């Protein structure tokens, strides 16, 4: 039984799987791929999107980070990352899609501009607009975290992983942020988890 997760460790989409595997005690190999490492022809034959991550689980190849996380949680995290209750599971699932479809598209330009673009080439208007939009969107997360420890209820689930990963970037970048007390408490709760400290709370690059 061997799991390979391809991708550079600085990718938020790769980090979802590394953190998830650490939570579940699943061992893996992680060959570097993408970014400065480029792509091999063998990799592109598995995933022609020129994106990471891709996993190979004993010959089963899969890409799209949230699909990979759901697959791994279903296989190894029943009752923990993968809630048995269909309502709780759907709730967790919803926050995974919300990270990909709503929050990260708003924050992504800020990250790419401030962290990956030389200062003299940064687009200040884009940064300002995106900082404002991402900050406004966090009101939704703050509202739903009221009275619960994690996004899908009292237990940590797969739903916390994608949005938890990028909320670190929101707090770590030198930007204006509205006060979101429930998000802050949840973030501090995540920061106590060894897998979060190991895979998410790393220098931004
Ligand atoms: N929807 C895809 C997006 C994957 C994606 O955008 N990956 C980025 C890194 S976070 C990537 O591979 N970028 C190209 C590169 O780093 O060379 C997923 O969730 O897996």
């Amino acid at each position: 039984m061997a799991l390979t997760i391809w991708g550079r460790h600085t990718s938020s989409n790769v980090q979802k799987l590394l953190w998830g595997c650490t939570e579940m005690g699943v061992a893996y190999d992680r060959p570097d791929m993408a970014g400065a490492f480029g792509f091999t022809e063998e990799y592109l034959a598995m995933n022609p999107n020129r994106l990471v991550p891709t996993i190979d689980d004993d010959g089963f190849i899969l890409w799209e980070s949230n699909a990979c996380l759901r697959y791994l949680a279903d296989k190894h995290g029943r009752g923990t990352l993968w809630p048995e209750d269909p309502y709780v599971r759907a709730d967790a699932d919803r926050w995974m899609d919300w990270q990909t479809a709503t929050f990260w598209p708003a924050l992504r330009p800020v990250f790419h501009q401030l962290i990956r673009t030389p200062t003299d080439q940064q687009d200040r208007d884009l940064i300002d607009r995106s900082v404002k939009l991402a900050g406004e969107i966090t009101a939704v997360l703050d509202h739903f975290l009221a009275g619960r420890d994690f996004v899908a209820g009292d237990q940590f689930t797969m739903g916390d992983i994608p949005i938890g990963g990028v909320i670190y970037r929101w707090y770590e970048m030198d930007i204006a942020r509205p006060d979101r007390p429930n998000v802050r408490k949840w973030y501090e709760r995540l920061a106590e988890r060894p897998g979060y400290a190991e895979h998410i709370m790393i220098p931004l690059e």
Side-chain angles (χ1 to χ4, degrees), residues 8 11-13 16 34-35 39 50-53 64-66:
R8 56 184 171 82
S11 151
S12 59
N13 289 305
K16 294 174 187 176
F39 294 97
R50 303 189 85 86
L51 296 171
V52 288
E64 276 301 329
S65 58
N66 286 358

Side-chain angles (χ1 to χ4, degrees), residues 87-124:
Y87 299 114
V88 179
R89 192 164 66 244
D91 195 357
D93 208 5
R94 170 255 300 277
W95 289 106
M96 296 173 72
D97 286 357
W98 189 80
Q99 181 269 344
T100 302
T102 301
F103 184 67
W104 187 235
L107 189 64
R108 189 173 184 273
V110 183
F111 179 77
H112 279 262
Q113 288 288 314
L114 293 183
I115 307 299
R116 298 209 174 134
T117 306
T119 314
D120 60 349
Q121 292 167 33
Q122 290 174 358
D123 180 338
R124 206 58 247 177

